Every structure is written in structure tokens, then in C-alpha cells.
């Protein structure tokens, strides 16, 4: 790995040394007080005053552009300042000072209100800056994103949980509770938009049926600013989060950092039922309350402009869960065929868990000219988890004496991920070419120690213990080309990935896999008129099973239930097609998706042992077809609404325990409807009401009941915007309870699930530092600027 990084770095230095920019006009723009001015409009005009080219200054006030030969003068324009005209003669390095005009206000606000939901050629963009969601946190924003279903800690898009989560296009290793905690510690004011990419282009790694990219803001203000905030959430139990954020932006370097600390308790309610062929029904009721000692999330980043064309970025993130402590009492009643209780057992589970994960990254961006740039990026992630439990079972079976059984497990996991890649792009007004390569390596180890009862003590049981080692390497290269002409826009790309996997287990031996696959993608867009657009898209994707899913060790929940992975899991291949029609704020998309051998969790029961087993496996295939529509409309000047509706037919084909091929299908209707009101524009007082729903869905052998919830959000600013407060009422009617059922052949089991989502949250934030002059995000097409 070190050799690869050294090689890439040497290659980067060689390219920098041999590719010096030529004929480049560059300089800096400031006001009379010496403060740099970001996003100044720069127009290049000929001698007749015809505009040849438009550009914008960077966040630090610098600009760089190549003028056409017929260029006569540069015109600098900025709201609140007089136009500045600079004749074009020779290459120059100029420091431009703009003078305030007589109508300058005490506060300059550039407002460029964008549609909340925007359809682009390859993604759906959910802008949150002008909604009350901006005052919450990144997790609440993701849950409210159109096209994303969030039930508890599980996210899905179009019924699939195979999602690549990225933040500013950097892969996030966390899932479930850990991902939720990280995003809850990220203030909503840092989030610019969430991108739902159902047909990802070749630049993204091929993993996952869809990409969910959380796009964070870049600071646009020179100087220092910061904030401290407090958020109290009350469901059944309370959870409190305190956080702080600090940003300094200078002409040569930017520094930012944030930290959040959360503590409290959460609970999840379950009821498991298993019906056996002999007529018995085993019913367990579980209340899983977890006390969280402390969850820490932190981030730091520094940008250094070595010169006007070379930028170095270094940073890191971290998440620490000191300890989650749960003491569960789980009674199980056993009913005879006449539905009378004949036997019972009670499980007492003492569970302790903690984890920590850290990521460090470095980027070097070289701009050869305004159209060409090279980016070298590398990052390293380390994750460590510990999960210990002690399980006592009191058995009170019919015609058997009362007895007790005891066992304990210690589960330790360590994961290391290293990634390094190069990306090169040429971007001009009508075309864009991108190409790059990446290398990554993952090493994971899982150690499970099982201690069974031996007389009065616990003793190590090697037969139920296991050591599982996983290693995966991935070589990838891609190229893509975008072209625009007249009313057409096309984008084509191809990505090749070689994957090598090696697993070793004390219970399952050694297993090796290696394969090379190509992943094409294509997009075609036609502007029928200025307001009407049609587009087609196709992408091929892969879903590699998670490392833990391939662990063959049996991880016991209690005496009669365990989870087991499959070392022979295969990667799933999916083909995604879509047809889009857009008219102003209305978008309609028709889609078809086919997955071959998708992997997922299923459950099955063994009548002979009364064992309920949760198992990760490949099913035969999945097909999904349907339509999605989104529409944003302004009811009144201060009252707007957004709708996102989805219809789809989903079919899952799986081989059951009877070795027969079964079909599990559902016609699903769902969506999200939201409305927001500007109660007072001076204090930015806003209110938002959302309703989310979907009818029953399927997942392998599971049939999952329908879902609905209603949320209310309100936010307001005070004291010249130094203070802001928000109120979030979650799941007002407590209606997101679900039933997950398996029923085929001799299988009949179901469980009821409620994740304690009904509650209320209050947030308060104080802003300090340079908060006075605010600029909205640039409306120009710079979406790829912060891509890794």
C-alpha cells in the first residue's frame, strides 16, 4: 500500500512539473477594506461589448481564466459594488479592488432560492437550505429526503437497502446505529443538499444499487465564525446532544472543525412469534432499552492554497461510542394447539458494547488551467468494535423440572480500509471528459469467544467459538464523456473493477474469490423546449456482501435463536433503466431494475430443535418496475408544497428450506408529501409538515406491513440571527409500527417491531464570529468541484 501511495504521489509531482499553465489571466478581488470577495461575476467582452465568456471568483476572492483572442476587456460585477472594467492587454497578475456604490446596505444578502427538489441528468437533488430541516441534523434531513425510506436505523431506496452512503463523495463505512449517530452529530446548517443517485455514473465506485451523497457546504466568509448548540430529544427516554462548530477562512488556508457529544437512552419494542407444525406457538416479548454513556463525533479539515493552481487538503473524522449498556428481560410463552400456555422460559441478557472509528484523508488538487484539473485523494479508515453478552435462561417446560442455562460471548471486530486514487478532468462549456483509477484494500478480523456452562462455572467452548479473517482488494479504472449540442446532452462512461476476496475461518476453512467486471453507464437528455425535457439512463451495478455477512460463526441471541453468515455469498449484479420527463417543477420517472442473486437476511425455523435462525444468503433474483413523480408548487407567496409519489411492482424469487423456488411479490404505493410556510421572513420563522407512507413490501421471504408517519418542524431566528431555535415533533400519531412475516411451506413466523420514534426535540444554537454578510450557494454548474 505504501509503495502505491508513493508511486501515485511521484506521478502527481511529475504531472505538476511538466504541465505549466499558459496564457492564463489570474488575480484576486477585494473591497476597499481589503476583504476578499467570493463569487464575483467576471464577464469577458469583445470590442463591441458582446459577452464572450462568464466566470466567477473563488471563495477566497481569487480568479483564473483563459480569455479568447478577441477579448477586449474584463468586467467585474458584484451586488452592492460598482462595476470594474479592466482592459485586456497581456498576461497579468492583478489585484482588483471594487468600490461600494451609494446604495450599499449594512448587510448584503445574495438570495438565489432554488427548487427544493431538482432533477439533473443523473440524480435527484434535495436542497434543504430554504427549509426548516436546515436547523435540525443530517440524519433528520436524510430521513426526509424524497425517495429515501427510513424505518428506524435502516435506509432503503426503491425497496433496496443496498446503498452506497457518501459524504462529499467520500465513502462512509458506518451502517445502522453508528451511521445514525454520526449524522445526528452533524448540524443541518452544514448540509447543502442530499443527492439520490439511482443510476450512478462511472466516476462512482460500482458498489450498491444506488448512491446517497450528502453534500456539505463550503464556507464563503472570510474570517472566523462558529456556533454552539444544544438539542434535547424525548421519546420514551431522553437523549441529549451538545455540539460546537468552528470555521476560519483566510486567503491562503481554511480550517474547520466540529465536535458533538450525545448521551441518554433508547428503546426498541419487539414481539416474536413462531408457529410450528405440531400446532405450538412460541411468543416472546422484548423491550430492549440501551443506556448510552457517551457518543462522540468529531471532524477537522484544513485547505492550503500553495499557489493559485495547487491546493492541499488534509482532514479527519471520528466516532466513539464509549459504551451502550442493555439489561433485557425477555419472557417467552409456549402455547399448545388450543392456544393455552403450557410452558415458558425467560431470558435475561446482560449486554455491553462499544466502538470507535477514525478516518484520515489527504487531497491534492492541481488546476492546469480553468478547464483542466487533476486530483489525487487518499484516505484510511480504522474501526474497532466490542460486543459482550451474558445470557441466563430459566426453563419451565411442561413435564420437565425447572432448570437454568447460562452462556456468554465476547465478540471483537476490527476493520481497516485504505484507498488511493487519481482523477483527471477536462471541463469546457460544451463537453467534459473524466478519467481516473483507484486502489483499495480492506482487512477485517472477527473474534468470537463462546463460553458455555460447565457445572457451576462458564468454560470456553472451542466448538462454538470462531476466528474469521477477511481481506478484499479492488483495482478500478473509469472514463466518461459528456457532450452538449443544441437541445441534446449525452453522457457515457465505463468502469472496470477487479476484486479479489480471501476469507479464513476456524469453522469454515479458507475461501477465495476473484473476478473482473465492466460497469457501463449511459445518459441521454433532450430539451424539447425550455421547460420540457426528456432523458434516458442506464447503469450496471454490483452489490458485494458485507464482511460480517460472510462470517459462518453462529452468533446466539438466546438458547433458541442465532444469526449466521455465509462464506459462499456471491456478489449481486443489477441492471437499472429509467425514462424521465420534466416539465418545470414536475418530474416523472419510469424505471426497471433487475438484480441477479441479491443477498439479504431471511429467517427460518427448525421444527426438530425449535430454533429460529437468521441467515444471510443469496436469493435467486429480484425484479422491480414502476414510476416515480415529484412536484413542487407555490400555493401562496409564503406557502409552498412538495410531493414525491412512487408506484412499483416488486418480485423476489428465493429457494426455501423445502428446496423449492418461491415467489414473493407486492404492488407498492408510497411517497412523501410536505408543505412549508414562511411565518415571518424577517426572523426566518418557518414551519413544515410532512407525511410519509407506503403500502406493504417484500424482502426475500419476508412480507413487511405498510408504514406511515407524520412529522412537524418549526424554526426561527432571534437577535439579529445570532440565535436560532427549532422544534421537531416526530411521528405525531405513533403510526410507524410494523409486522414482518415469513409464511410458506412449513415456515410461519412473524415479529412486531416498534422503534420508539414518537417524541419531541428542542434545539437551540448560538452563532458568533463573522456571521453578518451571507452568501447563498453558487447557482453556476460546479457540482463536481468537491468530488473525490
Amino acid at each position: 500500500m505504501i509503495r502505491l501511495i508513493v508511486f501515485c504521489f511521484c506521478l502527481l509531482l511529475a504531472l505538476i512539473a511538466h504541465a505549466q499553465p499558459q496564457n492564463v489571466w489570474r488575480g484576486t478581488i477585494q473591497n476597499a477594506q481589503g476583504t476578499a470577495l467570493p463569487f464575483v461575476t467576471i464577464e469577458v467582452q469583445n470590442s463591441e461589448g458582446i459577452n464572450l465568456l462568464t466566470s466567477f471568483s473563488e471563495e477566497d476572492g481569487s480568479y483564473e481564466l483563459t480569455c479568447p483572442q478577441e477579448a477586449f476587456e474584463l468586467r467585474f460585477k458584484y451586488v452592492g459594488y460598482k462595476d470594474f472594467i479592466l482592459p485586456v492587454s497581456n498576461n497579468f497578475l492583478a489585484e482588483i479592488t471594487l468600490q461600494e456604490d451609494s446604495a450599499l446596505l449594512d448587510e448584503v444578502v445574495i438570495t438565489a432560492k432554488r427548487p427544493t427538489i431538482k432533477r439533473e441528468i443523473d440524480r435527484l437533488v434535495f436542497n434543504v437550505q430554504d427549509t426548516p430541516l436546515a436547523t435540525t441534523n443530517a440524519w433528520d434531513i436524510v430521513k426526509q429526503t424524497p425517495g429515501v425510506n427510513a424505518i428506524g436505523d435502516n435506509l432503503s431506496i426503491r425497496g433496496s437497502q443496498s446503498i452506497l452512503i457518501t459524504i462529499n463523495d467520500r465513502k462512509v463505512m458506518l451502517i445502522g446505529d453508528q451511521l445514525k449517530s454520526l449524522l445526528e452529530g452533524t448540524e443541518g446548517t452544514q448540509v447543502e443538499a442530499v443527492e439520490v443517485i439511482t443510476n450512478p455514473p462511472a466516476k462512482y465506485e460500482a458498489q450498491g444499487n444506488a448512491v446517497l451523497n450528502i453534500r456539505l457546504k463550503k464556507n464563503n466568509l472570510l474570517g472566523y465564525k462558529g456556533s454552539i448548540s444544544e438539542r434535547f430529544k424525548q421519546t420514551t427516554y431522553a437523549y441529549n446532544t451538545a455540539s460546537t462548530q468552528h470555521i476560519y477562512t483566510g486567503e491562503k488556508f481554511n480550517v474547520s472543525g466540529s465536535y458533538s457529544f450525545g448521551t441518554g437512552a433508547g428503546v426498541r419494542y419487539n414481539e416474536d412469534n413462531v408457529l410450528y407444525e405440531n400446532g405450538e406457538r412460541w411468543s416472546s416479548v422484548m423491550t430492549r432499552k440501551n443506556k448510552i454513556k457517551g457518543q462522540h463525533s468529531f471532524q477537522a479539515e484544513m485547505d492550503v492554497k500553495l499557489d493559485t493552481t495547487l491546493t492541499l487538503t488534509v482532514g479527519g473524522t471520528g466516532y466513539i461510542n464509549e459504551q451502550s449498556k442493555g439489561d433485557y428481560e425477555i419472557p417467552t410463552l409456549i402455547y399448545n394447539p388450543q392456544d393455552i400456555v403450557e410452558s415458558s422460559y425467560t431470558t435475561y441478557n446482560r449486554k455491553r458494547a462499544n466502538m470507535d472509528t477514525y478516518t484520515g484523508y489527504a487531497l491534492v488538487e492541481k488546476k492546469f488551467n480553468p478547464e483542466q484539473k487533476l486530483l489525487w485523494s487518499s484516505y484510511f479508515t480504522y474501526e474497532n468494535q466490542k460486543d459482550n453478552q451474558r445470557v441466563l435462561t430459566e426453563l419451565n417446560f411442561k413435564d420437565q423440572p425447572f432448570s437454568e442455562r447460562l452462556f456468554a460471548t465476547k465478540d471483537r471486530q476490527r476493520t481497516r480500509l485504505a484507498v488511493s486514487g487519481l482523477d483527471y478532468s477536462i471541463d469546457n462549456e460544451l463537453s467534459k471528459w473524466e478519467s481516473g483509477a483507484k486502489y483499495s484494500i480492506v482487512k477485517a478480523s472477527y473474534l468470537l469467544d463462546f463460553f458455555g456452562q460447565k457445572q457451576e462455572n462458564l468454560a470456553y467452548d472451542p466448538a462454538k467459538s470462531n476466528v474469521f479473517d477477511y481481506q478484499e482488494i479492488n483495482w478500478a479504472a473509469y472514463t466518461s464523456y459528456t457532450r452538449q449540442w443544441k437541445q441534446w446532452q449525452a453522457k457515457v462512461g465505463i468502469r472496470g473493477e477487479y476484486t479479489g476476496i480471501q476469507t479464513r475461518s476456524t469453522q469454515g476453512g479458507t475461501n477465495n474469490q476473484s473476478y473482473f467486471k465492466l460497469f457501463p453507464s449511459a445518459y441521454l437528455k433532450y430539451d424539447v423546449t425550455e421547460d420540457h425535457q426528456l432523458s434516458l439512463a442506464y447503469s450496471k451495478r454490483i452489490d458485494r456482501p458485507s464482511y460480517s455477512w460472510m462470517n459462518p460463526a453462529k452468533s446466539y441471541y438466546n438458547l433458541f435463536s442465532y444469526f449466521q453468515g455465509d462464506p459462499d455469498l456471491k456478489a449481486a449484479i443489477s441492471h437499472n433503466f429509467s425514462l424521465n420527463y420534466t416539465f418545470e417543477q414536475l418530474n416523472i420517472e419510469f424505471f426497471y431494475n433487475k438484480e441477479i442473486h441479491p443477498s439479504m437476511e431471511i429467517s427460518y425455523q427448525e421444527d426438530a430443535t425449535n430454533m429460529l435462525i437468521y441467515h444471510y444468503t443469496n436469493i435467486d433474483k429480484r425484479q422491480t418496475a414502476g414510476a416515480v413523480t415529484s412536484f413542487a408548487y407555490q400555493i401562496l407567496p409564503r406557502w409552498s408544497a412538495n410531493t414525491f409519489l412512487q408506484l412499483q411492482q416488486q418480485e423476489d424469487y428465493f429457494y426455501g428450506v423445502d428446496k423449492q423456488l418461491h415467489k414473493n411479490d407486492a404492488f407498492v404505493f408510497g411517497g412523501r408529501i410536505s408543505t412549508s410556510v414562511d411565518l415571518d421572513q424577517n426572523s426566518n420563522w418557518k414551519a413544515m409538515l410532512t407525511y410519509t407512507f407506503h403500502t406493504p413490501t417484500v424482502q426475500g421471504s419476508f412480507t413487511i406491513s405498510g408504514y406511515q408517519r407524520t412529522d412537524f418542524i418549526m424554526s426561527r431566528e432571534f437577535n439579529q440571527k445570532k440565535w436560532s431555535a427549532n422544534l421537531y415533533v416526530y411521528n405525531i400519531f405513533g403510526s410507524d409500527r410494523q409486522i414482518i412475516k415469513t409464511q410458506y411451506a412449513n415456515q410461519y413466523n412473524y415479529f412486531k417491531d416498534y422503534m420508539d420514534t414518537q417524541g419531541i426535540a428542542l434545539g437551540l444554537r448560538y452563532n458568533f464570529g463573522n456571521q453578518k454578510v451571507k452568501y447563498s450557494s453558487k447557482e453556476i454548474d460546479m457540482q463536481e468541484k468537491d468530488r473525490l
Side-chain angles (χ1 to χ4, degrees):
M1 179 61 198
I2 295 177
R3 292 179 180 176
L4 176 68
I5 295 175
V6 171
F7 170 76
C8 293
F9 189 68
C10 291
L11 177 61
L12 175 66
L13 292 178
L15 288 169
I16 293 172
H18 289 88
Q20 298 299 323
Q22 296 180 354
N23 301 322
V24 176
W25 277 254
R26 56 179 178 266
T28 58
I29 309 171
Q30 62 184 15
N31 60 18
Q33 290 74 39
T35 301
L37 298 178
F39 315 136
V40 175
T41 301
I42 307 170
E43 294 181 352
V44 181
Q45 298 182 353
N46 63 14
S47 58
E48 298 178 356
I50 298 175
N51 190 32
L52 304 174
L53 176 68
T54 300
S55 183
F56 299 84
S57 66
E58 299 289 341
E59 291 92 338
D60 61 356
S62 65
Y63 69 93
E64 179 180 337
L65 70 161
T66 302
C67 295
Q69 290 184 353
E70 61 269 29
F72 179 74
E73 64 184 20
L74 303 183
R75 185 179 294 268
F76 298 82
K77 296 182 177 181
Y78 201 60
V79 175
Y81 291 81
K82 297 178 180 179
D83 289 0
F84 184 89
I85 300 174
L86 184 69
V88 172
S89 54
N90 300 311
N91 294 8
F92 58 85
L93 178 63
E95 185 177 275
I96 306 300
T97 300
L98 300 186
Q99 302 295 326
E100 299 176 356
D101 64 16
S102 58
L104 178 64
L105 300 177
D106 188 48
E107 179 178 3
V108 179
V109 180
I110 300 176
T111 57
K113 189 172 182 180
R114 298 169 294 177
T116 304
I117 303 174
K118 182 181 178 182
R119 166 61 65 178
E120 297 180 356
I121 189 172
D122 58 0
R123 68 197 64 199
L124 185 76
V125 181
F126 178 48
N127 295 300
V128 300
Q129 294 184 33
D130 297 313
T131 72
L133 283 170
T135 63
T136 60
N137 57 58
W139 177 252
D140 287 333
I141 291 172
V142 167
K143 290 195 302 180
Q144 295 289 348
T145 299
V148 177
N149 287 324
I151 301 176
D153 302 333
N154 298 317
L155 303 176
S156 64
I157 296 176
R158 294 180 181 172
S160 174
Q161 295 183 18
S162 174
I163 304 172
L164 175 64
I165 306 291
T166 61
I167 296 179
N168 281 349
D169 292 297
R170 282 193 295 268
K171 182 178 179 180
V172 178
M173 294 290 292
L174 303 178
I175 60 173
D177 287 333
Q178 294 81 29
L179 175 64
K180 176 184 175 184
S181 298
L182 175 67
L183 296 182
E184 283 182 333
T186 303
E187 291 189 11
T189 53
Q190 294 180 254
V191 179
E192 180 179 359
V194 179
E195 299 174 336
V196 182
I197 312 172
T198 51
N199 285 296
K203 188 168 186 175
Y204 289 91
E205 65 176 86
Q207 172 68 25
N209 284 334
V211 173
L212 188 63
N213 183 46
I214 302 167
R215 206 164 69 205
L216 302 183
K217 296 178 184 177
K218 283 285 188 179
N219 182 40
N220 300 334
L221 302 176
L222 284 177
Y224 166 77
K225 72 173 183 177
S227 68
I228 54 175
S229 61
E230 170 72 17
R231 191 168 190 265
F232 176 81
K233 183 179 179 180
Q234 178 72 53
T235 53
T236 302
Y237 301 97
Y239 189 86
N240 189 71
T241 305
S243 60
T244 183
Q245 177 184 353
H246 303 272
I247 301 173
Y248 174 78
T249 302
E251 294 186 0
K252 292 294 184 181
F253 66 93
N254 307 326
V255 180
S256 66
S258 63
Y259 168 77
S260 72
F261 173 76
T263 184
V267 67
R268 184 171 179 175
Y269 303 96
N270 293 99
E271 179 185 333
D272 292 4
N273 291 271
V274 184
L275 287 82
Y276 293 100
E277 285 186 302
N278 62 6
E280 288 184 348
R281 176 168 65 91
W282 292 36
S283 180
S284 302
V285 177
M286 181 187 303
T287 300
R288 291 186 285 180
K289 178 186 176 183
N290 287 298
K291 297 179 181 179
I292 300 168
K293 183 178 180 181
Q295 291 179 327
H296 308 261
S297 296
F298 46 91
Q299 169 271 335
E301 182 176 284
M302 180 174 68
D303 293 332
V304 181
K305 282 210 166 187
L306 303 177
D307 58 36
T308 57
T309 67
L310 188 62
T311 303
L312 168 67
T313 301
V314 293
T317 62
Y319 168 77
I320 301 173
N321 182 6
E322 291 184 54
Q323 186 183 74
S324 293
K325 181 171 67 174
D327 294 286
Y328 315 140
E329 180 179 342
I330 310 162
T332 301
L333 301 178
I334 301 174
Y335 295 82
N336 65 14
Q338 289 74 42
D339 208 31
I340 299 172
V341 177
E342 284 190 339
S343 303
S344 67
Y345 68 91
T346 302
T347 303
Y348 301 91
N349 189 328
R350 183 180 182 274
K351 190 178 182 66
R352 303 291 184 267
N354 59 64
M355 76 161 294
D356 53 277
T357 180
Y358 311 94
T359 296
Y361 56 88
L363 299 83
V364 178
E365 183 182 71
K366 171 66 179 179
K367 294 182 179 179
F368 302 113
N369 55 50
E371 297 180 350
Q372 299 179 55
K373 71 176 182 180
L374 177 71
L375 177 67
W376 172 71
S377 59
S378 291
Y379 66 94
F380 177 82
T381 295
Y382 172 85
E383 180 182 306
N384 185 54
Q385 296 187 54
K386 295 181 180 179
D387 194 340
N388 301 329
Q389 65 174 354
R390 183 182 178 93
V391 182
L392 172 67
T393 307
E394 296 178 347
L395 301 169
N396 189 11
F397 284 0
K398 180 183 177 182
D399 300 328
Q400 295 182 20
F402 175 84
S403 62
E404 293 182 347
R405 298 278 298 278
L406 179 66
F407 72 88
T409 62
K410 292 184 178 181
D411 192 346
R412 283 158 286 174
Q413 304 178 18
R414 185 177 68 169
T415 305
R416 290 159 292 171
L417 166 67
V419 181
S420 185
L422 282 170
D423 295 276
Y424 176 73
S425 65
I426 302 176
D427 188 0
N428 55 46
E429 187 175 353
L430 297 178
S431 66
K432 182 175 184 178
W433 176 65
E434 299 172 286
S435 188
K438 185 196 76 171
Y439 170 78
S440 66
I441 181 170
V442 177
K443 290 186 177 182
S445 61
Y446 300 81
L447 178 62
L448 173 64
D449 292 334
F450 187 93
F451 301 87
Q453 188 170 6
K454 189 173 183 180
Q455 296 179 352
E456 298 297 326
N457 302 313
L458 287 174
Y460 176 75
D461 186 348
K464 292 185 177 180
S465 301
N466 184 62
V467 177
F468 177 72
D469 292 318
Y470 178 95
Q471 178 175 294
E472 175 187 316
I473 62 170
N474 183 276
W475 291 92
Y478 75 92
T479 186
S480 70
Y481 181 73
T482 305
R483 176 71 181 178
Q484 185 170 344
W485 68 101
K486 294 183 179 179
Q487 295 171 282
W488 293 89
Q489 183 179 4
K491 183 176 183 177
V492 294
I494 190 165
R495 185 181 186 91
E497 293 191 358
Y498 168 82
T499 303
I501 297 174
Q502 182 182 71
T503 64
R504 184 177 60 199
S505 170
T506 54
Q507 290 189 7
T510 300
N511 184 22
N512 296 323
Q513 299 181 36
S514 63
Y515 48 86
F516 173 80
K517 293 187 181 297
L518 292 174
F519 302 95
S521 59
Y523 313 85
L524 182 63
K525 181 184 175 189
Y526 176 65
D527 295 330
V528 182
T529 66
E530 185 177 348
D531 297 325
H532 294 260
Q533 293 89 36
L534 284 171
S535 62
L536 289 167
Y538 164 76
S539 69
K540 178 183 176 183
R541 307 287 294 169
I542 190 171
D543 183 24
R544 301 181 186 90
S546 174
Y547 329 127
S548 58
W549 300 350
M550 301 180 74
N551 189 348
K554 296 178 180 179
S555 181
Y556 283 85
Y557 301 123
N558 56 51
L559 282 180
F560 300 97
S561 181
Y562 63 83
F563 168 85
Q564 185 176 29
D566 182 357
D568 296 320
L569 277 178
K570 294 174 287 192
I573 297 295
S574 64
H575 299 272
N576 309 292
F577 302 85
S578 66
L579 169 64
N580 285 277
Y581 168 72
T582 301
F583 171 62
E584 294 182 344
Q585 299 303 312
L586 171 66
N587 177 260
I588 302 174
E589 177 186 4
F590 299 93
F591 65 88
Y592 172 75
N593 171 265
K594 182 176 182 179
E595 296 179 69
I596 304 169
H597 302 309
S599 57
M600 61 188 64
E601 185 181 59
I602 65 172
S603 67
Y604 64 92
Q605 63 206 55
E606 289 182 345
D607 283 51
T609 61
N610 295 115
M611 194 71 71
L612 181 62
I613 302 165
Y614 294 90
H615 182 53
Y616 252 99
T617 187
N618 293 108
I619 67 170
D620 187 63
K621 65 179 178 180
R622 164 180 285 180
Q623 295 183 137
T624 306
V628 171
T629 180
S630 61
F631 183 49
Y633 46 97
Q634 198 74 30
I635 303 171
L636 293 174
R638 295 190 181 184
W639 183 16
S640 61
N642 285 277
T643 60
F644 181 89
L645 300 175
Q646 178 173 320
L647 285 168
Q648 71 178 45
Q649 173 69 24
Q650 181 177 325
E651 299 175 351
D652 283 11
Y653 295 83
F654 66 95
Y655 284 95
V657 294
D658 57 356
K659 309 301 181 183
Q660 300 296 314
L661 182 64
H662 295 267
K663 175 184 176 183
N664 197 11
D665 64 332
F667 182 76
V668 185
F669 175 55
R672 180 175 288 111
I673 302 171
S674 65
T675 181
S676 60
V677 179
D678 290 338
L679 300 173
D680 180 30
Q681 292 181 337
N682 292 329
S683 61
N684 204 20
W685 187 7
K686 298 179 180 181
M688 183 177 183
L689 184 70
T690 66
Y691 174 67
T692 306
F693 71 99
H694 67 73
T695 57
T697 61
V698 297
Q699 177 185 305
S701 63
F702 292 138
T703 298
I704 305 173
S705 66
Y707 168 93
Q708 60 177 322
R709 62 178 289 164
T710 305
D711 300 285
F712 174 75
I713 312 158
M714 185 166 61
S715 63
R716 187 175 182 178
E717 295 177 335
F718 304 90
N719 192 19
Q720 297 181 342
K721 301 183 179 181
K722 289 185 178 180
W723 291 89
S724 63
N726 70 78
L727 167 69
Y728 200 136
V729 184
Y730 295 88
N731 190 19
I732 296 174
F733 304 107
S735 54
D736 63 348
R737 303 166 190 264
Q738 289 198 296
I739 299 176
I740 295 93
K741 181 173 67 174
T742 295
Q743 187 173 10
Y744 72 92
N746 68 338
Q747 300 291 299
Y748 189 8
N749 60 78
Y750 65 93
F751 66 94
K752 301 178 181 179
D753 188 28
Y754 174 58
M755 300 188 185
D756 190 37
T757 55
Q758 186 178 29
I760 187 171
L762 296 170
L764 184 65
R765 185 174 71 251
Y766 174 67
N767 302 309
F768 48 88
N770 185 16
Q771 305 279 346
K772 187 176 180 181
V773 184
K774 298 185 178 180
Y775 307 90
S776 67
S777 290
K778 293 172 284 185
E779 284 296 288
I780 59 176
D781 184 15
M782 297 185 69
Q783 301 152 359
E784 302 297 325
K785 176 175 171 54
D786 302 316
R787 297 271 157 114
L788 299 189

